[in-house]
Amino acid sequence: MMQRIRDDVEKADDIEDVVESVLRASRALVAVAARSIARVDAAVTLPQYRTLVVLAARGPLNVRSLARELDVHPSTATRMCDRLVERRLIGRETSRTSRREVTVWLMPAGRQLLTKVTSVRKRDIRRNVAKVPAPLRDAMIGALQSFSDAAGEVPDQAWAAGWEGV
């Protein structure tokens, strides 16, 4: 019984070590993300950028569904969409049958912004990964893919693939 308790405590410690490492890495990645967006378009916020990514991954959505995807209140999503429509990064259309039904989608300028930001971000990440000792890089791939999968994140290729021909 005591051994099982010790094993459980050790597992909890292992998880906490991982949590602390992921937290530290996430701060670095958020900094890279914020810098990459600011270099391309300083007027776009991280939540607005996330909106563009969701629309790229999921396609046209009604604002209520978009809010759910972003985990924000629908009125917050509506205000964010207002700003993105003004910038012509997304399009918006109200249903002819119900004024409450509003659909939004990514416009070509929004796709271009995502492409440019991704390019800048890749360059910055490449620079940082080059500083990691080569023997550790394979382990990074598996660990980061597993973490992204657990978080339900869509791979870039999944949303970028839909850009061709648009």
Side-chain angles (χ1 to χ4, degrees):
M1 178 67 165
M2 288 302 289
Q3 182 60 40
R4 195 169 120 212
I5 292 171
R6 271 190 233 119
D7 289 347
D8 288 347
V9 168
E10 286 177 18
K11 286 179 188 172
D13 288 344
D14 287 348
I15 289 174
E16 287 307 310
D17 290 346
V18 173
V19 167
E20 289 302 318
S21 294
V22 170
L23 187 61
R24 185 170 176 223
S26 72
R27 286 192 302 266
L29 289 170
V30 167
V32 168
R35 282 192 306 267
S36 65
I37 295 166
R39 284 186 192 135
V40 173
D41 188 336
V44 174
T45 66
L46 275 170
Q48 290 171 347
Y49 180 80
R50 182 72 183 156
T51 299
L52 298 175
V53 169
V54 167
L55 290 173
R58 307 279 190 255
L61 292 171
N62 66 46
V63 174
R64 192 169 292 285
S65 297
L66 176 63
R68 203 171 18 258
E69 287 282 334
L70 297 172
D71 196 24
V72 299
H73 192 276
S75 64
T76 301
T78 297
R79 287 189 303 275
M80 197 162 6
C81 288
D82 289 345
R83 291 180 189 103
L84 293 170
V85 166
E86 285 175 22
R87 306 265 333 274
R88 295 194 168 117
L89 297 173
I90 67 170
R92 173 175 53 199
E93 183 174 74
T94 304
S95 168
R96 293 181 181 162
T97 59
S98 171
R99 288 182 14 168
R100 299 175 80 184
E101 182 76 20
V102 176
T103 301
V104 293
W105 63 89
L106 197 60
M107 296 286 287
R111 285 185 194 90
Q112 290 172 351
L113 186 134
L114 289 174
T115 300
K116 288 177 185 176
V117 169
T118 299
S119 176
V120 170
R121 186 172 298 164
K122 280 183 177 182
R123 187 176 58 237
D124 288 351
I125 290 171
R126 189 175 291 111
R127 194 174 311 124
N128 290 326
V129 169
K131 296 175 187 176
V132 174
L136 298 178
R137 293 179 193 157
D138 284 340
M140 285 178 65
I141 293 168
L144 291 170
Q145 285 177 344
S146 293
F147 181 79
S148 297
D149 292 346
E153 195 60 33
V154 177
D156 280 357
Q157 310 87 279
W159 50 269
W163 298 357
E164 289 93 28
V166 179

